[in-house]
Amino acid sequence: MNGTTRSRRRCCYVPQETGGYPIPIVRSGRLSWSRKASTRPIANSSTLTRFISNDVIGYFIELLDGFYVFDTHMDEFRRVLEQPARLGGWLTRPDRWQLLEGMASFYEFALDLDQYLAALEFPMLRGHVWLHFAYWFGNGGARMEEVALWLQNAVAHAAEDESIDGAELGEALARLRAPQRYPLVLIEQTAEVLGPWLESSGVGEQLSAGSRSL
């Protein structure tokens, strides 16, 4: 699947109010991040439907998954973020700005999901919700683990450019990646059923390493 080109329908996404989350904008040929002044709303079940229905998040997670999106591969996207001088030329294709917006929306979703999971009262439900999105936060084998670490590092890089709360976002991404945090009760009670996934995703190894460090 890696390196495959996937055709996408034309995006009709209308940007929504994003609360206090980082938003990518272009200033003088370089990528910057700004924040809305309003307070982030309390996360609820609409957090989950937004991930499913938001086109620009869809574009971005396909990029994370190794597809070519708007003739861009993940390796090129990373170079553009790390070398802002490339940004102007890269954006000559009009649709590519949606990948930047998708990255910001993914970060916004991560903050909401972390808040939503922390507020859930039922550990089994919390684990099931976490499991549904675990792949995108680094629990999908070695490649997705590397992608998740890059996402955390990209937050720190963006925070150097604008006064966003990179620490809050980085901590949320780390919590969402850690199987010891939200899904542990579910994993403990269904380990036999989840066994093949625990092995292939690397989650079992993470849990074993965590128990050895105690």
Side-chain angles (χ1 to χ4, degrees):
M1 188 164 67
N2 190 26
T4 304
T5 301
R6 175 171 291 189
S7 60
R8 296 297 306 231
R9 65 187 183 278
R10 184 174 181 83
C11 178
C12 58
Y13 173 71
V14 178
Q16 300 175 347
E17 172 61 45
T18 56
Y21 304 120
I23 302 171
I25 56 177
V26 178
R27 291 176 177 162
S28 303
R30 57 197 291 269
L31 180 65
S32 298
W33 296 76
S34 67
R35 291 178 65 90
K36 293 287 187 181
S38 57
T39 302
R40 185 168 78 245
I42 299 299
N44 53 42
S45 59
S46 66
T47 296
L48 311 184
T49 58
R50 188 172 69 246
F51 185 90
I52 296 169
S53 63
N54 187 321
D55 272 353
V56 293
I57 289 182
Y59 298 142
F60 183 66
I61 64 175
E62 287 194 352
L63 189 74
L64 296 182
D65 209 16
F67 288 103
Y68 279 85
V69 184
F70 306 129
D71 294 327
T72 294
H73 189 261
M74 184 65 186
D75 293 339
E76 181 184 6
F77 185 75
R78 291 171 66 162
R79 286 194 296 271
V80 167
L81 293 184
E82 292 163 3
Q83 303 173 35
R86 295 174 175 261
L87 185 63
W90 180 76
L91 283 172
T92 54
R93 169 150 184 175
D95 290 333
R96 286 178 171 169
W97 66 267
Q98 294 178 77
L99 295 176
L100 299 175
E101 186 174 327
M103 184 178 186
S105 294
F106 182 88
Y107 281 152
E108 175 184 341
F109 171 76
L111 286 165
D112 273 350
L113 180 62
D114 180 58
Q115 183 187 64
Y116 178 72
L117 291 173
L120 280 179
E121 298 180 5
F122 304 104
M124 292 294 284
L125 175 59
R126 184 186 304 123
H128 278 289
V129 173
W130 178 89
L131 192 64
H132 187 73
F133 298 102
Y135 178 85
W136 304 110
F137 293 99
N139 296 288
R143 182 184 175 279
M144 290 309 295
E145 181 178 355
E146 191 273 336
V147 167
L149 291 173
W150 172 77
L151 283 168
Q152 286 183 248
N153 292 333
V155 169
H157 180 73
E160 294 175 0
D161 206 29
E162 293 286 334
S163 57
I164 68 168
D165 194 344
E168 177 190 4
L169 187 50
E171 289 168 4
L173 290 169
R175 285 190 293 268
L176 291 169
R177 177 172 172 263
Q180 299 89 347
R181 184 78 183 190
Y182 295 123
L184 189 57
V185 172
L186 174 69
I187 290 173
E188 289 175 342
Q189 295 190 24
T190 61
E192 185 174 345
V193 175
L194 292 176
W197 176 79
L198 291 172
E199 182 177 352
S200 64
S201 65
V203 169
E205 184 177 346
Q206 287 189 65
L207 290 171
S208 297
S211 64
R212 289 195 299 268
S213 66
L214 296 178

